[in-house]
Amino acid sequence: MWNVMIVGCGLSGIIAARELADQGNKVLIFEKRRHIGGNIFDEKNADGFLIQKYGPHCFFTNDRRIRSYIEKFVRTEDQFVTCKTVINGRKVPMPFNFESAELIYGKKQAAELKNELLEYFTGRDIVSVTELLHADNKQIADYGRYMYENEYKQYSAKQWGRSIDRISPEVFKRVPVYLSYKKDYQPHTDQFLPVGGFTKMAEAMLNHKNIKLCLGCDVVKERILNIEDGKVVIRYENTIFKGPVLFTGELDSLFQYRYGHLPYRSLEFIWKSLNQEEFQDTEIVAYPQADKITRITEYKKLPHQNVPGRTVISIEIPFEYNAEAPVGNEPYYPVKNETDNELYAQYRHLAASVDNLFLCGRLADYQYYNMDMVMINAWKTAKDIMGYREEDR
């Protein structure tokens, strides 16, 4: 009856399911939560605000295919997210830009720094904090050191629960430093949200006669899914399925933590509805120097919502993910350093020995992907599954 089974109804599973269904495959999706969308799930709260339950998401991409694909299912609207960071009690634009330098040093010294930066990085409009730190220009290196000590180092240690020397350098490359007054949180040309929210988008993508959902079903914990004789075997509704299986969850859980637990970070969200027009002047404000809190998102601004005299915020507090903890403790971010990557490589090698197993997504790939890369990988994985089915015939 089923041609493909997918474990996980987040963005990876949804995109792959739709691609496979459009090719005539009958797809069954298992999802351990009782809703679709994974971490992009959003819903209306009691005050009528559309909120993203698992933290802020927005499409950032330079790939025009992404928006075109989304618009096959829902309309989209531009959303150029802005962010500030609170350093020594002052809100500074983040990523750092020329306005940030003026707030830190004053306009005269910042003007000198601006000239040094533009000359040192001729023709560039974006650099990384690592490049600043290693510049052989003292004024530029000092600027990089200020960012590193007051923002990156403190925020990252809190976000990842580790000292900065135990965090992969690729983490710092995700946030640019602008050599201009540009204020957007990301430099990508296309930045947008689906009109009506991500859940509405997910529902439209899953609205296909060849797709069926099984929500509130943890196939790993319930041992519906097992690995037997080098194949994934799923026993469901009196049937035994040995065809292609796409797994989007934590890879260590699939193999019953044979080599130990891969580390992930989770998040606690504190929600507050406020009787005021706005709480902050940007969608997101980071708090590197605060105790426990990493950032606050104001959802009245993400997307922009017209509710006079009211607003809603979400305060984020990161903590270590525990696979044995009660429901609600979700894995959000893979913690990546050399040791963690080596452990993941062991699981990836084990997965390669399973004939009908396909992996895709942040958790399964143990990568910190933006949503455009999640979609690109899901497209590719769907093609790989189609190829596997052709060979199997």
Side-chain angles (χ1 to χ4, degrees):
M1 180 179 182
W2 305 106
N3 304 122
V4 182
M5 290 192 178
I6 295 176
V7 180
C9 196
L11 186 59
S12 295
I14 291 168
I15 296 292
R18 182 64 191 223
E19 289 292 287
L20 290 163
D22 282 344
Q23 294 296 317
N25 296 279
K26 293 190 178 297
V27 183
L28 176 60
I29 306 176
F30 297 98
E31 169 55 51
K32 66 181 180 180
R33 298 177 188 174
R34 295 194 175 275
H35 63 71
I36 63 173
N39 287 349
I40 64 172
F41 173 77
D42 53 20
E43 62 182 353
K44 289 286 186 72
N45 74 354
D47 293 318
F49 285 107
L50 181 65
I51 61 170
Q52 297 183 30
K53 186 176 178 180
Y54 303 100
H57 292 81
C58 185
F59 284 104
F60 305 114
T61 186
N62 294 320
D63 190 333
R64 299 298 299 181
R65 295 176 300 165
I66 300 300
R67 193 165 193 168
S68 295
Y69 185 86
I70 298 300
E71 289 181 340
K72 292 197 301 183
F73 305 98
V74 290
R75 292 185 298 114
T76 64
E77 58 186 348
D78 287 343
Q79 179 83 37
F80 288 83
V81 176
T82 55
C83 177
K84 288 187 177 180
T85 184
V86 179
I87 298 176
N88 301 326
R90 176 184 291 164
K91 285 185 181 178
V92 175
M94 181 70 185
F96 285 81
N97 61 12
F98 288 158
E99 182 184 349
S100 306
E102 290 171 358
L103 289 168
I104 294 166
Y105 296 118
K107 290 199 172 183
K108 182 179 179 182
Q109 187 177 343
E112 295 174 1
L113 174 62
K114 172 183 172 181
N115 291 333
E116 293 289 331
L117 287 165
L118 292 174
E119 182 177 346
Y120 193 90
F121 296 104
T122 301
R124 303 270 302 275
D125 54 7
I126 294 175
V127 295
S128 70
V129 67
T130 305
E131 289 178 284
L132 299 181
L133 282 167
H134 295 114
D136 55 7
N137 176 303
K138 185 177 184 304
Q139 193 171 7
I140 292 173
D142 285 347
Y143 183 43
R145 178 62 55 186
Y146 182 94
M147 294 182 200
Y148 179 82
E149 293 292 339
N150 290 281
E151 217 287 340
Y152 288 78
K153 181 178 179 179
Q154 297 185 54
Y155 187 95
S156 297
K158 188 165 41 174
Q159 173 75 0
W160 300 101
R162 286 152 178 75
S163 61
I164 203 161
D165 59 334
R166 294 177 57 210
I167 301 169
S168 172
E170 70 186 65
V171 170
F172 306 116
K173 295 178 181 178
R174 287 181 53 81
V175 181
V177 177
Y178 293 132
L179 303 185
S180 67
Y181 287 93
K182 185 178 177 70
K183 293 183 178 181
D184 301 336
Y185 180 63
Q186 291 284 345
H188 304 83
T189 55
D190 225 359
Q191 305 186 32
F192 65 94
L193 291 172
V195 173
F198 286 100
T199 301
K200 181 179 178 181
M201 177 192 81
E203 288 171 345
M205 291 178 173
L206 294 169
N207 184 20
H208 196 291
K209 65 180 182 180
N210 289 339
I211 298 176
K212 181 182 176 181
L213 299 174
C214 180
L215 301 178
C217 184
D218 190 331
V219 294
V220 174
K221 281 190 177 180
E222 296 174 33
R223 303 308 295 267
I224 294 170
L225 179 156
N226 293 282
I227 296 175
E228 303 170 9
D229 300 322
K231 290 184 81 76
V232 180
V233 179
I234 293 179
R235 292 177 172 83
Y236 178 72
E237 291 187 342
N238 300 316
T239 63
I240 298 176
F241 182 79
K242 296 184 180 181
V245 174
L246 171 57
F247 186 80
T248 69
E250 312 96 280
L251 192 54
D252 53 349
S253 71
L254 181 62
F255 293 101
Q256 305 298 315
Y257 309 104
R258 182 179 303 185
Y259 304 125
H261 289 260
L262 283 165
Y264 297 89
R265 294 292 281 173
S266 190
L267 292 170
E268 175 188 358
F269 297 94
I270 300 173
W271 293 91
K272 292 187 177 183
S273 293
L274 305 171
N275 291 318
Q276 57 195 73
E277 195 61 37
E278 69 172 10
F279 178 79
Q280 56 198 30
D281 59 351
T282 56
E283 293 95 326
I284 300 170
V285 175
Y287 290 85
Q289 297 171 329
D291 181 38
K292 296 183 180 179
I293 295 171
T294 49
R295 64 182 179 179
I296 296 177
T297 302
E298 185 167 10
Y299 281 99
K300 187 175 184 177
K301 294 179 166 65
L302 187 69
H304 297 288
Q305 301 176 69
N306 183 23
V307 182
R310 299 281 296 168
T311 192
V312 60
I313 63 171
S314 175
I315 302 167
E316 293 182 32
I317 300 174
F319 62 94
E320 200 74 9
Y321 168 66
N322 179 357
E324 307 305 321
V327 174
N329 180 359
E330 298 289 347
Y332 286 86
Y333 309 111
V335 180
K336 294 175 64 63
N337 59 31
E338 187 174 342
T339 302
D340 303 326
N341 288 340
E342 288 174 358
L343 178 57
Y344 175 74
Q346 289 183 275
Y347 282 114
R348 192 78 190 201
H349 180 73
L350 196 57
S353 68
V354 182
D355 174 65
N356 60 333
L357 175 63
F358 296 83
L359 304 175
C360 189
R362 269 191 181 190
L363 300 181
D365 289 339
Y366 207 64
Q367 292 286 344
Y368 195 115
Y369 292 135
N370 283 338
M371 287 192 292
D372 59 343
M373 187 53 67
V374 169
M375 290 177 59
I376 291 168
N377 288 344
W379 289 335
K380 178 183 181 303
T381 305
K383 288 182 180 179
D384 291 343
I385 292 172
M386 287 295 297
Y388 175 89
R389 287 210 63 227
E390 289 296 327
E391 291 177 8
D392 201 40
R393 292 188 186 119

